[in-house]
Structures are given as structure tokens and as C-alpha cells.
Amino acid sequence: MNKRDFLKGAILFFPAGGLLAMARDASGKANGKAYEPASHFYGMGIEIDKCIGCSRCVEACKAENDVPAEPFYFRTWIERYQIRPSGESVVESINVKGRKRDEAADDRDFVRTFFVPKLCNQCAHPPCVQVCPVGATFQTKDGVVLVDKDRCLGCRYCIQACPYGARYLDPRTHTADKCTFCYHRVVKGLQPACVEVCPTGARIFGDLKSRASRLVRFARMNKVHVLKPALNTEPKVYYAQLDGEVR
Amino acid sequence: MKIPEQVQRLAIVVGVLLAVVLIGRFVLLPSRLVARELHQTATIEREVVKPVRYAGSTACADCHDDVVVKKAKGYHKGLACEGCHGPAVKHAEDPGAVKPAAPRDRKFCPVCHAYDPARPTGFPQINVTAHNPLKPCITCHNAHDPVPPRTPRDCAACHGQIERTKAVSSHALLACTTCHATPEQHKRSPRRATPSKPETREFCGGCHAADAPLKTGAIKDAPKVDLGTHGRSYPCWQCHYPHLPEGRS
């Protein structure tokens, strides 16, 4: 890079992001809807004993959010846990192709086995936000972690930093992407797509700021746990009947 | 000590550059252009306008109240319409133009009902290879109200072997009485009143002859043979056991 190029780059650097905002302003202010982000704080509850591992949620998520169809891009996915008599546990994502359950394996090889739906935990203290070098990922007032795909460099720091493996690099834009709790549905009062299609009600979505919400009631009625509590990420996805082996 | 001239010049250049950048950043650029808040609002708004594809179950009730009412009474009451029919916002907006798919295939229902030890105990599961093979599930179960169909057990009580054989054959859906006219008395004193048995090739031909009337369901589905040449003139059950017709001897 020569001096000239450097100067050009430096001059263009600051306004670039700003122009975007101007373009947005020009295209008209928000259509005057009375949605107030600050008065909500969203979370999800998952009842392990109800999950039948049918993957309706995974497919609905992909269809609703235009997630690449290849079987290694997921905003939500389901893991099968199999606990051996020795205490050792075997974990696999049932949505990754070519890793179908070994039909020959005898049921008696395991003391217990169950499904665990996983997704972004929408942490109150998200490590992904802390590590982003350009501030492209942030938490909204209503408690959802989003990615600004125009700012994201695709450096993958956040993918590394996420303790829950919830992020992926979108192969089309080469930017990080993840679950948004179906933000575009939630602000319209709809349920996230995965919650909508769950046949057994294993997923519960709600507002932690509303005493009457299903989620608050769920958290009151069940002993709930979060994943990797020792990391102090304060996840907002709460699991009921969580087995000690689940990581 | 004198500062070398080239360093002085360089310092001036650096100073000017720094001034330009600082003025550009803090004076010329309006503060709203560099504010992080604005980038975030732009992202949020981009997120909010993304298209909704799953309309939600309540959206279907306006036009399909019959299905909704039926489903609400059955075992499938907790299932979302679009969990089976796929995202249907476009259909709900313009039903004439877009039609959701209906999963009539036998492969579909097992995504939830195939036996899997990791599924919670008590959830109704079947062994897909043994549970009435060959037939799509919806021939016996209504997808919107999947009560297990009641097969008449009155013959199985005494003819269990035949009943079990037939249940896994391609004649699974034919009632015993399709082929055996059974007097009521047979069930009380079997040997005194015996049911009829098919006697002619034409009986089977009623469903299987190439020129059979193609009207009702069971007859339409039956594979066809040319009655005049197939199996010469032997009775059909010389070669096909009627309760397991595909197992040829």
C-alpha cells in the first residue's frame, strides 16, 4: 500500500458508516409503531423432558431466517446425549448429516439418553460482544444480541469466544451470524418460529420484565438452570430438568 | 541542540495531517454520523423489516375453521399447522396463488413417532418397519385427529394368527368380511355356521382384473392382472395366500 492509498482509505474510513445512517434517515423514519424496546427483556425456557427431537424447530428456524441449508449452519440445533454406565457421555448433534444414530447400538449400552435443544443464550453479559474489534455485535435494549453485518469484518473472534458454539460464519456474506430470537417476529408480537412449531411445548418464549409472562411463570414453577453458569455470562435461556452431564 | 531540518519538515507534514483528520472527525463530520447508537438502530431496523414466513396457527383459523376445530379435540391439538404444512404466510395472504404442501408421505410422521430411546417415555412411538408397512400413515390415521383406528377385534379373538399375518400384508386394509360373508352366529358357535369363502377367480378379479371398475379407493389401488392369462385357470390361492398375497409359493 502506498501513501496515496493510505490517505484515501483514511479519508473514506469515517464517513463510510455514517453514510449508511444517512441513507437510512433518508429512507424515512420508522413507521411510527408503538413498540418500546426498553420495556421488554426477552428470554427462553426449555423443558428437556418434553423434547422429542423431531427437529421441527431446526427446520422452521432455517426457513424463517434464511439460514443456509447445508447441514452445518444452525441458529438452533438439537443434541442427543447418551450417558454410559461408566458415567461417560456421548454427545452428537442430530441435525448434522451423516451422523445418524447408530441403529445397531443397543439401548442397554446407555443408562439414560435424552435430547437437548440448543441456541444462542442471548447472554446478559455476552463474551462475543466484548471481543468484537469493530463493535459490530451488540445487545439491544430488549436483551437480544444482534450482528451488524455491514460492520462485521468476518474475523471470527466472536465465533471463537462464544462458549455455546452458537455462532457461524455466513458463507454468502462472510459475516458472523446467529439466533436473533426471531427479532422481526417478536417485535410484532409473534412467537419465534421454533417456539411456534414445537409440537410438545418444550420451548417457552417470554418477557422477563412482565410478571404475567409464560416464561416468568415457567421459571417459577420449575427448577431452572443455565448452561455453563461458572462463566458468568448470565444466559437468558433457562433449562428445566437439565441433566448434570449437559454442557 | 539543533533539530535536523528533515525532521522539522516531517513534523510539519505530520502535524498538518493530524489537524486535518481531527478537524474532519470532530468539526466537519456531524456527530450523528459516527455515533455507535446509529449503527445499532440501523441494524435493528434491518432486522425488524425481515419478512415473516410462519403465519402462526391463529392465522389459519379464519378460513380452515373445520380443520382447526377437528384438530383441537384430538391428540394433535398442540401441533402447529405449519409444523406439518411448512411456512404459509404467502398462502394465508393469497390462498389461490400459493398452496402449502400436505405431507402425505409415509416418511413424514416418523420424524415425531419413530421409536427412539432418547424420546421421553410415554410419547407414542412406533416401530416403523413393523407398524403396518407399505401403507401411508394417513390411510389409517387422520392427520388432524389421529385416533388409532379401531380394527374389529371380533375375528382376531379366534383367528389371531390370520389377523396378524394379514395386518402386515398388502391386504391389511381389507376387512375380513370383504371376502368372508360371516353369519353373526359364527362368532357364538363357529362350527355350526361357517362363513363363506371366495370360490372363483372372478372374486379376486373384482378388484384385480385389468377391466375391473376403477371406482372406489381399495379397487383403484389394487395392482391389475389379466384374468384371462394370469396363473392359467388355477384358483388364485393356489399360488397367493389370500391373507399374505405378496408371499408367493
Side-chain angles (χ1 to χ4, degrees):
Chain A
M1 187 190 270
N2 61 28
K3 244 188 294 178
R4 181 181 295 260
D5 284 348
F6 173 78
L7 286 177
K8 268 200 215 151
I11 288 165
L12 289 177
F13 178 73
F14 289 105
L19 284 177
L20 179 95
M22 291 216 291
R24 173 187 63 81
D25 282 0
S27 72
K29 282 264 179 264
N31 39 7
K33 242 218 190 132
Y35 176 78
E36 182 45 66
S39 54
H40 304 277
F41 202 59
Y42 295 115
M44 190 180 285
I46 293 178
E47 212 167 329
I48 306 263
D49 282 359
K50 285 192 176 169
C51 178
I52 60 169
C54 66
S55 299
R56 296 303 87 202
C57 49
V58 180
E59 292 191 4
C61 172
K62 287 207 172 203
E64 179 72 26
N65 295 300
D66 203 16
V67 177
E70 291 88 346
F72 26 82
Y73 303 108
F74 297 105
R75 290 184 176 197
T76 184
W77 66 100
I78 299 180
E79 288 174 0
R80 177 200 304 277
Y81 274 75
Q82 294 174 313
I83 319 288
R84 291 242 164 82
S86 62
E88 180 206 357
S89 57
V90 184
V91 189
E92 58 175 0
S93 166
I94 61 168
N95 307 111
V96 176
K97 279 274 150 51
R99 287 228 247 134
K100 257 210 111 222
R101 184 168 67 101
D102 182 7
E103 301 284 349
D106 196 319
D107 296 354
R108 281 165 300 185
D109 291 350
F110 302 101
V111 242
R112 57 190 192 281
T113 163
F114 49 87
F115 295 112
V116 183
K118 293 256 180 104
L119 72 164
C120 168
N121 282 270
Q122 311 287 1
C123 308
H125 299 313
C128 52
V129 170
Q130 284 161 28
V131 301
C132 180
V134 293
T137 183
F138 61 96
Q139 193 177 25
T140 62
K141 292 202 182 69
D142 31 13
V144 178
V145 178
L146 296 179
V147 182
D148 181 347
K149 72 168 166 32
D150 288 352
R151 285 213 134 186
C152 176
L153 303 169
C155 71
R156 300 167 205 239
Y157 278 3
C158 55
I159 299 176
Q160 299 279 318
C162 176
Y164 308 104
R167 287 173 168 250
Y168 60 93
L169 199 77
D170 190 313
R172 298 163 301 194
T173 57
H174 300 288
T175 55
D177 209 352
K178 63 181 276 298
C179 162
T180 63
F181 266 173
C182 283
Y183 199 72
H184 59 299
R185 298 176 63 86
V186 168
V187 295
K188 298 183 185 84
L190 295 166
Q191 305 259 28
C194 55
V195 178
E196 173 67 36
V197 300
C198 180
T200 56
R203 291 179 184 246
I204 287 131
F205 182 77
D207 186 351
L208 292 164
K209 280 194 178 161
S210 150
R211 295 272 305 152
S213 86
R214 288 187 62 205
L215 181 62
V216 172
R217 200 172 342 123
F218 168 81
R220 229 180 10 240
M221 307 293 279
N222 292 282
K223 285 185 191 156
V224 295
H225 297 271
V226 295
L227 300 179
K228 305 190 182 175
L231 298 178
N232 284 325
T233 52
E234 293 197 23
K236 295 205 302 302
V237 174
Y238 305 95
Y239 289 88
Q241 299 111 21
L242 190 70
D243 195 281
E245 292 295 325
V246 178
R247 284 154 288 151
Chain B
M1 196 192 79
K2 193 180 181 309
I3 302 169
E5 175 151 341
Q6 61 268 46
V7 175
Q8 284 181 10
R9 280 209 223 114
L10 195 65
I12 291 170
V13 172
V14 168
V16 168
L17 265 183
L18 200 68
V20 167
V21 167
L22 288 180
I23 291 170
R25 167 68 180 76
F26 290 104
V27 182
L28 295 182
L29 274 185
S31 65
R32 55 189 202 90
L33 279 193
V34 283
R36 167 172 286 201
E37 288 255 305
L38 275 173
H39 288 285
Q40 301 190 347
T41 335
T43 309
I44 290 174
E45 281 182 13
R46 213 169 29 229
E47 212 51 64
V48 166
V49 299
K50 283 188 175 165
V52 168
R53 298 195 168 117
Y54 281 82
S57 287
T58 44
C60 317
D62 294 343
C63 307
H64 296 294
D65 49 341
D66 51 336
V67 178
V68 172
V69 166
K70 187 180 184 91
K71 193 171 79 66
K73 291 188 309 223
Y75 283 103
H76 278 172
K77 58 176 173 290
L79 272 64
C81 309
E82 291 162 297
C84 291
H85 290 293
V89 142
K90 292 226 176 74
H91 166 73
E93 280 164 4
D94 186 359
V98 189
K99 273 206 231 161
R104 297 188 168 88
D105 198 271
R106 190 176 157 91
K107 285 200 218 64
F108 179 72
C109 312
V111 300
C112 290
H113 287 294
Y115 172 71
D116 187 321
R119 296 209 150 128
T121 22
F123 184 80
Q125 296 161 61
I126 52 158
N127 178 339
V128 179
T129 35
H131 185 83
N132 305 299
L134 307 170
K135 303 272 167 206
C137 315
I138 55 169
T139 47
C140 300
H141 302 280
N142 184 312
H144 300 139
D145 182 15
V147 276
R150 277 173 303 278
T151 39
R153 290 268 160 206
D154 43 351
C155 310
C158 304
H159 301 288
Q161 177 70 49
I162 292 174
E163 165 86 22
R164 283 191 296 277
T165 309
K166 189 178 77 70
V168 297
S169 81
S170 52
H171 276 168
L173 284 187
L174 304 186
C176 308
T177 45
T178 323
C179 303
H180 303 288
T182 312
E184 213 25 54
Q185 204 197 352
H186 175 70
K187 293 179 203 158
R188 274 170 278 119
S189 44
R191 266 168 250 271
R192 195 154 316 152
T194 49
S196 73
K197 288 191 285 185
E199 272 155 12
T200 62
R201 289 166 54 90
E202 280 67 35
F203 177 83
C204 308
C207 291
H208 288 291
D211 51 4
L214 299 165
K215 273 184 247 110
T216 52
I219 299 179
K220 193 158 68 31
D221 293 346
K224 301 292 183 254
V225 293
D226 179 354
L227 218 56
T229 55
H230 181 81
R232 286 180 265 153
S233 52
Y234 298 113
C236 311
W237 40 95
Q238 192 86 13
C239 303
H240 302 284
Y241 182 48
H243 309 133
L244 187 65
E246 58 268 58
R248 289 154 203 124
S249 48

